[in-house]
C-alpha cells in the first residue's frame, strides 16, 4: 500500500469537486444592506472613513432599494440622520421623520419584494449622541423605553417590515413588542440587537450616522468585549421578551458568540459585519495589500460557518458579482 492511504487532497483536486462538496453557499438573499439617509441634503455625501459609502438624500433612497434588489439583496437596514437633534430625540418618532419618509419611498418603489428593516435607536437623534435620555450625566433606562416604543410604532405606521432595537436598554424588547401589539402591528417581527458589544469597530459608523457621544462612552449599556456568558443572558432575555431574531454585533471578533447563540437558541441568528470591519478591508484593498473580493467572501463564509443565518454587511451590494 502506498503512503499515505488517506489523501485529503483527492477531494480538492478540481474546481468542480470543490464546488460540489462546498458545505456553505453564500446567497445574496441572506445579506442585508445598510442605507444611511440624511434629511435636507440634495446629493450624496461621501463617508470618508467608509470608502465607497455615502449618506443619501431622500430622493435617492428608492433607486438604492431597486439597485439592491437587482443584486439579489432582499433586505435593507435604514439609519437616519435628521436635520434637528434634541434631548428627546423627537425626530426619531416624528410622523414625517427622515426614516418614516424613507420607508414610504422604498415601499412605493419596491413593494413587498424588499424587506425594510428600521434600526430603532436614538443616538442619531439626540444632541448628545447617546442612545437614551440623559439625566445628571447618566443614561436613563426606563424613561428611554417609552421613546423607543414610540419610534418603533411610528416605523410600523410608515410601513416597516421589521424593527431592530439597538439601544441596549434593559426591557426594550418587551416594551416595543407590547407597543406594537397594542397599536395593531402584532405581525411586525423584531430583530433584537441582543449581544451588542462596546466595540472599537464602530468608529466609521459614528461618522456615517453623526452619532458620536458628546461625553463619556457607551460602556454602561453596551457589553464588555471579554464577556461571553453575559451575551447568552442578554439573548435569552430578549427571546423571552418577544424577539423573533437575535443579533450579534460586531461579528468578526465575536464568531464564538455567534456559534454559542446558534447552538443554544432556536431562533434565526443575525451577524452584523460592522463598519470598522468593512473599512479595514477597504483600506487594505486600496493599498493593494489584499484581494478584496476573495477576502470579503472569506469573511462572510466565516460568519456563516460560525452559525449566522443572515449577515448585515456594507459589502452587500457587491454580492451578486462577488459571490458567484
Amino acid at each position: 500500500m502506498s503512503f499515505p492511504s488517506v489523501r485529503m487532497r483527492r477531494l480538492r483536486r478540481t474546481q468542480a469537486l470543490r464546488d460540489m462538496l462546498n458545505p456553505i453557499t453564500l446567497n445574496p438573499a441572506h445579506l442585508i444592506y445598510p442605507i444611511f439617509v440624511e434629511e435636507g441634503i440634495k446629493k450624496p455625501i461621501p463617508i470618508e472613513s467608509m470608502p465607497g459609502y455615502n449618506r443619501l438624500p431622500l430622493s435617492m433612497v428608492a433607486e438604492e432599494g431597486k439597485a439592491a434588489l437587482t443584486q439579489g439583496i432582499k433586505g435593507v437596514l435604514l439609519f437616519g440622520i435628521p436635520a434637528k437633534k434634541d434631548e428627546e430625540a423627537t425626530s426619531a418618532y416624528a410622523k414625517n421623520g427622515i426614516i418614516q419618509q424613507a420607508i414610504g419611498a422604498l415601499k412605493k418603489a419596491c413593494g413587498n419584494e424588499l424587506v425594510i428593516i428600521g434600526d430603532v435607536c436614538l443616538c442619531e437623534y439626540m444632541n448628545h449622541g447617546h442612545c437614551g435620555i440623559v439625566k445628571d450625566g447618566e443614561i436613563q433606562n426606563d424613561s428611554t423605553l417609552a421613546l423607543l416604543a414610540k419610534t418603533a410604532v411610528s416605523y410600523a405606521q410608515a410601513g416597516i417590515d421589521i424593527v431592530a432595537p439597538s439601544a441596549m436598554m434593559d426591557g426594550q424588547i418587551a416594551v416595543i413588542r407590547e407597543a406594537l401589539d397594542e397599536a395593531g402591528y402584532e405581525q411586525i417581527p423584531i430583530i433584537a440587537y441582543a449581544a451588542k458589544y462596546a466595540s472599537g469597530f464602530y468608529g466609521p459608523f459614528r461618522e456615517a450616522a453623526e452619532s458620536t457621544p458628546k461625553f463619556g462612552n457607551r460602556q454602561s449599556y453596551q457589553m464588555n468585549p471579554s464577556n461571553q456568558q453575559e451575551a447568552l443572558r442578554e439573548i435569552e432575555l430578549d427571546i423571552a421578551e418577544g424577539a423573533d431574531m437575535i443579533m450579534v454585533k460586531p461579528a468578526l471578533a465575536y464568531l464564538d458568540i455567534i456559534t454559542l447563540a446558534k447552538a443554544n437558541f432556536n431562533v434565526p441568528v443575525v451577524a452584523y459585519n460592522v463598519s470598522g470591519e468593512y473599512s479595514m478591508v477597504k483600506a487594505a484593498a486600496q493599498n493593494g495589500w489584499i484581494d478584496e473580493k476573495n477576502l470579503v467572501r472569506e469573511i462572510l463564509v466565516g460568519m456563516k460557518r460560525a452559525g449566522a443565518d443572515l449577515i448585515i454587511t456594507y459589502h452587500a451590494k457587491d454580492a451578486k458579482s462577488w459571490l458567484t
Side-chain angles (χ1 to χ4, degrees):
M1 182 184 298
S2 61
F3 177 83
S5 59
V6 176
R7 293 180 181 268
M8 298 299 292
R9 290 181 58 193
R10 289 176 186 142
L11 299 182
R12 305 175 193 149
R13 189 169 55 86
T14 68
Q15 187 63 52
L17 271 170
R18 293 191 294 271
D19 289 345
M20 185 173 70
L21 295 169
N22 185 9
I24 294 176
T25 301
L26 291 171
N27 185 338
H30 296 157
L31 305 180
I32 297 168
Y33 172 51
I35 296 176
F36 298 97
V37 55
E38 181 169 357
E39 190 173 17
I41 63 173
K42 301 299 182 184
K43 60 183 181 179
I45 297 177
I47 302 165
E48 290 187 11
S49 59
M50 297 179 67
Y53 238 81
N54 300 292
R55 295 202 297 265
L56 299 179
L58 180 63
S59 61
M60 293 182 65
V61 169
E63 287 303 314
E64 197 73 0
K66 290 179 183 178
L69 283 173
T70 64
Q71 292 296 314
I73 303 299
K74 299 297 183 184
V76 296
L77 176 61
L78 297 179
F79 296 97
I81 300 94
K84 172 192 171 187
K85 298 174 184 256
D86 56 34
E87 293 183 352
E88 296 286 330
T90 54
S91 295
Y93 42 87
K95 183 176 181 180
N96 293 315
I98 186 60
I99 289 298
Q100 289 79 357
Q101 292 184 68
I103 294 165
L106 284 167
K107 271 298 172 191
K108 183 177 180 180
C110 303
N112 290 328
E113 289 185 67
L114 188 69
V115 177
I116 305 169
I117 306 165
D119 178 82
V120 179
C121 197
L122 306 176
C123 56
E124 303 104 304
Y125 305 92
M126 289 288 195
N127 56 13
H128 47 66
H130 276 286
C131 301
I133 292 173
V134 173
K135 182 179 179 180
D136 298 327
E138 290 196 15
I139 315 305
Q140 303 299 299
N141 190 93
D142 294 7
S143 54
T144 296
L145 296 178
L147 302 187
L148 294 171
K150 285 175 68 174
T151 301
V153 170
S154 75
Y155 287 3
Q157 291 168 339
I160 203 75
D161 294 304
I162 302 174
V163 295
S166 64
M168 286 298 285
M169 296 294 117
D170 291 338
Q172 65 181 10
I173 303 302
V175 169
I176 289 171
R177 181 74 273 161
E178 182 179 5
L180 288 170
D181 291 354
E182 287 182 352
Y185 299 108
E186 64 279 351
Q187 296 300 317
I188 300 291
I190 296 175
I191 299 176
Y193 283 70
K196 182 178 180 180
Y197 286 86
S199 171
F201 283 106
Y202 303 150
F205 174 92
R206 291 176 182 173
E207 178 199 341
E210 296 183 350
S211 61
T212 302
K214 295 291 193 296
F215 66 90
N217 54 52
R218 296 189 173 124
Q219 293 177 10
S220 71
Y221 44 104
Q222 295 177 1
M223 291 171 48
N224 182 340
S226 68
N227 202 318
Q228 192 180 72
Q229 191 62 37
E230 192 172 66
L232 296 178
R233 292 189 66 194
E234 290 278 9
I235 293 168
E236 184 176 22
L237 285 167
D238 281 356
I239 293 171
E241 290 179 17
D244 301 282
M245 294 182 264
I246 63 92
M247 187 191 302
V248 176
K249 179 184 180 183
L252 196 55
Y254 298 86
L255 298 179
D256 59 319
I257 307 301
I258 295 170
T259 298
L260 284 169
K262 190 64 177 175
N264 284 277
F265 304 101
N266 191 28
V267 298
V269 176
V270 183
Y272 199 143
N273 179 206
V274 299
S275 61
E277 298 165 357
Y278 168 88
S279 294
M280 288 193 302
V281 171
K282 285 291 184 182
Q286 288 179 345
N287 281 282
W289 298 335
I290 59 166
D291 180 329
E292 182 179 2
K293 294 180 183 180
N294 282 336
L295 186 58
V296 168
R297 284 195 293 260
E298 185 176 344
I299 287 170
L300 297 178
V301 163
M303 294 172 187
K304 289 287 285 185
R305 189 182 65 244
D309 297 292
L310 302 174
I311 302 172
I312 301 166
T313 177
Y314 300 96
H315 300 290
K317 265 182 64 179
D318 296 314
K320 192 172 185 179
S321 57
W322 286 10
L323 302 186
T324 55

